[in-house]
Amino acid sequence: MSDDSANGPAPLVVGVVPGQHPEVLRVAASLAKTLAAPMICAYVDEASYLVEWDPTRSAHRLSLHPDADDARIRATTQELRSIMEARCASLGIDCTLRTLAGDPARAIGRLAADANACMIVVGTPERGIGHRITAALNGSVAAWLSHHQERPILIVPAVAPAGRK
């Protein structure tokens, strides 16, 4: 992807994952509408790792799990695309989905740099012990980006269901 700022407003890069709290996409879409900016949603397939980065082409990747089913990745991206389109179509927002490979924070950071994004929007880690262990082992995407990015980062907190804190 090239510098899109010459062709229109700089895009928002939005980190998306299956099962993500809807507030992340809702806030990002509202902000994109206000700024009249396109959105680039980024899903990072953590079961793959980046072997070559070429901004003019899709990322070349190799699976960490050679037996991983490409149908699973296609199903995940189709699910994310459907959710994205449902949220953005009614607002008239130009939105695309990119599937990336490797470490989520670094992949989203590379995409934002390549797209000359005006901002990165991500959610907070999910609640629960499984997500805490993952964040402890891999680090938080939001925390890494906030320490290593020159672009503004909007971190959208997960809203607890009524009655839970």
Side-chain angles (χ1 to χ4, degrees), residues 53-77:
W53 175 251
D54 181 353
T56 61
R57 298 177 16 176
S58 295
H60 300 277
R61 59 191 175 94
L62 294 176
S63 177
L64 293 174
H65 304 288
D67 298 328
D69 185 6
D70 281 342
R72 176 193 57 81
I73 295 169
R74 282 193 301 275
T76 299
T77 56

Side-chain angles (χ1 to χ4, degrees), residues 2 8 16 32 42 45 53 62 71 85 91 107-108 116 119 122 126 146:
S2 61
V16 295
D45 175 21
W53 175 251
L62 294 176
E85 289 171 354
L91 297 174
I108 291 169
N116 195 25
M119 181 181 292
V122 294
E126 299 287 327
S146 69

Side-chain angles (χ1 to χ4, degrees), residues 5-150:
S5 60
N7 300 329
L12 296 176
V13 168
V14 183
V16 295
V17 294
Q20 182 176 45
H21 284 281
E23 294 87 32
V24 176
L25 198 52
R26 189 177 308 128
V27 167
S30 176
L31 183 58
K33 177 74 173 173
T34 300
L35 297 174
M39 281 183 9
I40 302 172
C41 292
Y43 165 63
V44 183
D45 175 21
E46 292 183 79
S48 298
Y49 65 93
L50 193 63
V51 294
E52 179 181 343
W53 175 251
D54 181 353
T56 61
R57 298 177 16 176
S58 295
H60 300 277
R61 59 191 175 94
L62 294 176
S63 177
L64 293 174
H65 304 288
D67 298 328
D69 185 6
D70 281 342
R72 176 193 57 81
I73 295 169
R74 282 193 301 275
T76 299
T77 56
Q78 185 54 44
E79 173 192 348
L80 290 170
R81 186 172 284 113
S82 296
I83 293 167
M84 252 176 41
E85 289 171 354
R87 171 62 57 195
C88 297
S90 64
L91 297 174
I93 298 167
D94 178 24
C95 188
T96 57
L97 177 65
R98 295 280 305 271
T99 301
L100 307 172
D103 175 78
R106 286 169 178 80
I108 291 169
R110 281 190 305 269
L111 175 60
D114 185 49
N116 195 25
C118 64
M119 181 181 292
I120 300 172
V121 180
V122 294
T124 55
E126 299 287 327
R127 298 173 192 263
I129 189 68
H131 295 288
R132 284 191 206 131
I133 291 170
T134 299
L137 294 173
N138 299 329
S140 162
V141 171
W144 190 90
L145 287 169
S146 69
H147 289 94
H148 296 91
Q149 270 296 309
E150 296 175 4

